[in-house]
């Protein structure tokens, strides 16, 4: 499958690199208004291909996106240290007003995969601007936060993160909700598993993990200016689920008809991802306080999105 990437800075290039290493695409086209950057990124990523899977990697204009099955949108500005994702909204909405029209003109059949922040509201912006059905405009949402949650739980329990089944719901951002009550390790509820391996999840451990997931981006941006490896791998994972019609359950964002009483809001829930995009949305069983936190996250996103119209 041909995959387009618009915005070839840290996130776009990391997605291209991860896709090349995973064998997630037969052709990758990099588009950026900084053409010199796109050309350099394509050349660099192409040099990884002999160590991975056959794939053509090149830079091009929007017209080169023709025939793409997925176009990743990672264009726009990123957070500076201390800045929130939501503060990027008006600047990145302006970028999308230009980019989406060109992608739709040249790759009318592509699923749009949104990475630019604030990713949930940018997903809503992209849906409106594209006129596509909601299941074909997918935000990476909390795929990254879920990976962070699983990684920290895996470390605490002394098991591979692949054996942790836990999700972060709601906003990819400060109001996100770690669904502790639905978390499992293997097939065991997480708290019971933790006791069995001698690593109980105390209130203190839980608070530490929650803060560490929620503040990860701020911490990494403070240290190295941006985040890119985690999201690059996450984007490649979503593309592969689409390309191979894997029907994998991933926490991603689409505009959802109703969440905890909030109508038409883009946020993350576990969803089945396949060739047609989002096939089904799953609503985990939550405690009262988790449901209230999800409602608050949905309300925040709805209000912030409405402010843009
Ligand atoms: N969804 C997620 O989990 C994550 C999202 N992000 C977001 O991804 C976005 C990109 O971040 P970085 O790659 O670090 O930024 P970056 O500044 O390295 O790259 C952005 C690229 O977009 C390009 N661009 C800007 N306007 C454009 C336009 N009109 N047309 C084409 N290209 C355009 C720039 O030339 C630049 O190369 C940011 O909004 C950031 O917040 C970052 C990390 C994780
Ligand atoms: C920057 C960002 O959204 C993240 O790393 O979570």
């Amino acid at each position: 499958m041909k995959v387009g990437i618009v915005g070839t800075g840290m996130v776009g290039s990391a997605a291209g690199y991860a896709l090349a290493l995973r064998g997630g695409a037969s052709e990758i086209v990099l588009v950026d208004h900084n053409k010199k950057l796109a050309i350099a990124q394509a050349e660099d990523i192409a040099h990884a291909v002999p160590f991975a899977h056959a794939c053509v990697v090149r830079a091009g204009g929007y017209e080169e996106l023709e025939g793409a099955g997925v176009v990743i949108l990672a264009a726009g500005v990123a957070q500076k240290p201390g800045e929130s994702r939501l503060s990027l909204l008006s600047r990145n909405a302006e970028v999308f007003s230009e980019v989406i029209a060109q992608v739709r003109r040249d790759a009318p059949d592509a699923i749009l995969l949104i990475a630019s922040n604030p990713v949930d509201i940018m997903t809503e912006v992209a849906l409106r601007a594209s006129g596509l059905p909601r299941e074909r405009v997918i935000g990476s949402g909390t795929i990254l936060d879920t990976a962070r949650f699983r990684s920290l739980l895996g470390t605490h329990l002394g098991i591979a993160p692949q054996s942790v089944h836990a999700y972060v719901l709601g906003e990819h951002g400060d109001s996100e909700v770690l669904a502790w009550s639905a978390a499992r390790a293997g097939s065991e509820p997480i708290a019971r598993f933790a006791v069995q391996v001698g690593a109980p999840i105390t209130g203190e451990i839980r608070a530490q993990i929650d803060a560490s997931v929620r503040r990860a981006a701020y911490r990494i941006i403070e240290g190295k200016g941006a985040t890119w490896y985690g999201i690059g791998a996450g984007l490649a994972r979503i593309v592969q689920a689409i390309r191979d019609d894997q029907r994998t359950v991933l926490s991603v964002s689409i505009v959802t008809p109703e969440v905890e009483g909030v109508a038409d809001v883009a946020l993350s829930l576990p969803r089945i991802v396949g060739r047609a995009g989002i096939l089904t949305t799953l609503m985990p069983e939550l405690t009262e306080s988790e449901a209230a936190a999800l409602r608050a996250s949905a309300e925040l996103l709805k209000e912030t999105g409405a402010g843009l119209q």
Side-chain angles (χ1 to χ4, degrees), residues 79 85 117 144-145 148 172 217 221 227:
Q79 294 156 266
R85 296 173 181 87
N117 272 320
L144 177 56
D145 316 78
R148 289 169 174 158
H172 168 60
I221 290 169
T227 69

Side-chain angles (χ1 to χ4, degrees), residues 75-78 88-97 116-118 122:
V77 289
L88 307 173
L89 177 56
S90 58
R91 285 170 282 168
N92 283 346
E94 205 173 311
V95 169
F96 268 32
S97 66
S116 305
N117 272 320
M122 296 310 297

Side-chain angles (χ1 to χ4, degrees), residues 111-114 119-121 123-124 127 133-142 170 250-259 264-273 276-282 301:
I111 287 177
L112 303 184
L113 178 51
I114 317 302
V119 69
D120 302 290
I121 304 177
T123 301
E124 196 186 322
L127 179 75
R134 56 181 83 200
E135 65 276 8
R136 295 181 69 82
V137 181
I138 305 171
S140 59
T142 57
L250 300 170
S251 61
V252 289
S253 187
I254 62 167
V255 175
T256 309
E258 193 270 331
V259 181
D264 290 320
V265 61
L267 49 62
S268 285
L269 289 169
R271 306 182 195 268
I272 303 175
V273 184
I278 301 302
L279 308 180
T280 309
T281 291
L282 308 161
L301 288 167

Side-chain angles (χ1 to χ4, degrees), residues 5-13 29-32 34 37-39 41 74-75:
I5 302 178
V6 181
T8 63
M10 303 318 298
V11 171
S13 62
V29 177
L30 301 182
V31 180
D32 198 292
N34 180 347
L37 175 70
I39 290 167
Q41 297 282 31

Side-chain angles (χ1 to χ4, degrees), residues 50-227:
F51 305 109
H53 303 266
C55 175
V56 174
V57 186
R58 61 197 174 88
Y62 285 94
E63 65 287 356
E64 308 282 335
L65 297 177
E66 191 188 345
V70 176
V71 174
I72 297 173
L73 299 175
V77 289
Q79 294 156 266
K80 303 250 169 5
E83 213 178 359
S84 81
R85 296 173 181 87
L86 290 177
S87 70
L88 307 173
L89 177 56
S90 58
R91 285 170 282 168
N92 283 346
E94 205 173 311
V95 169
F96 268 32
S97 66
E98 169 197 330
V99 165
I100 302 275
Q102 302 187 73
V103 171
R104 288 289 292 139
R105 186 194 62 213
D106 291 313
D109 299 326
I111 287 177
L112 303 184
L113 178 51
I114 317 302
S116 305
N117 272 320
V119 69
D120 302 290
I121 304 177
M122 296 310 297
T123 301
E124 196 186 322
V125 167
L127 179 75
R128 255 189 268 129
S130 67
L132 281 164
R134 56 181 83 200
E135 65 276 8
R136 295 181 69 82
V137 181
I138 305 171
S140 59
T142 57
I143 195 162
L144 177 56
D145 316 78
T146 288
R148 289 169 174 158
F149 190 22
R150 291 178 182 194
S151 163
L152 290 168
L153 277 172
T155 302
H156 176 73
L157 299 171
I159 60 170
Q162 287 82 353
S163 293
V164 178
H165 310 288
Y167 292 95
V168 178
L169 313 176
E171 180 195 5
H172 168 60
D174 301 345
S175 74
E176 67 193 22
V177 182
L178 281 68
W180 282 97
S181 65
R184 298 275 180 281
S187 60
E188 291 291 293
I190 205 86
R192 203 155 73 195
F193 185 99
V195 169
Q196 285 181 58
V197 296
I201 298 174
T202 59
E204 195 185 336
I205 297 284
R206 191 173 155 143
Q208 266 171 20
I209 292 178
D210 187 294
S212 196
V213 171
R214 203 178 298 280
R215 299 297 300 173
Y218 293 99
R219 233 175 20 250
I220 298 167
I221 290 169
E222 193 65 47
K224 64 174 209 172
T227 69

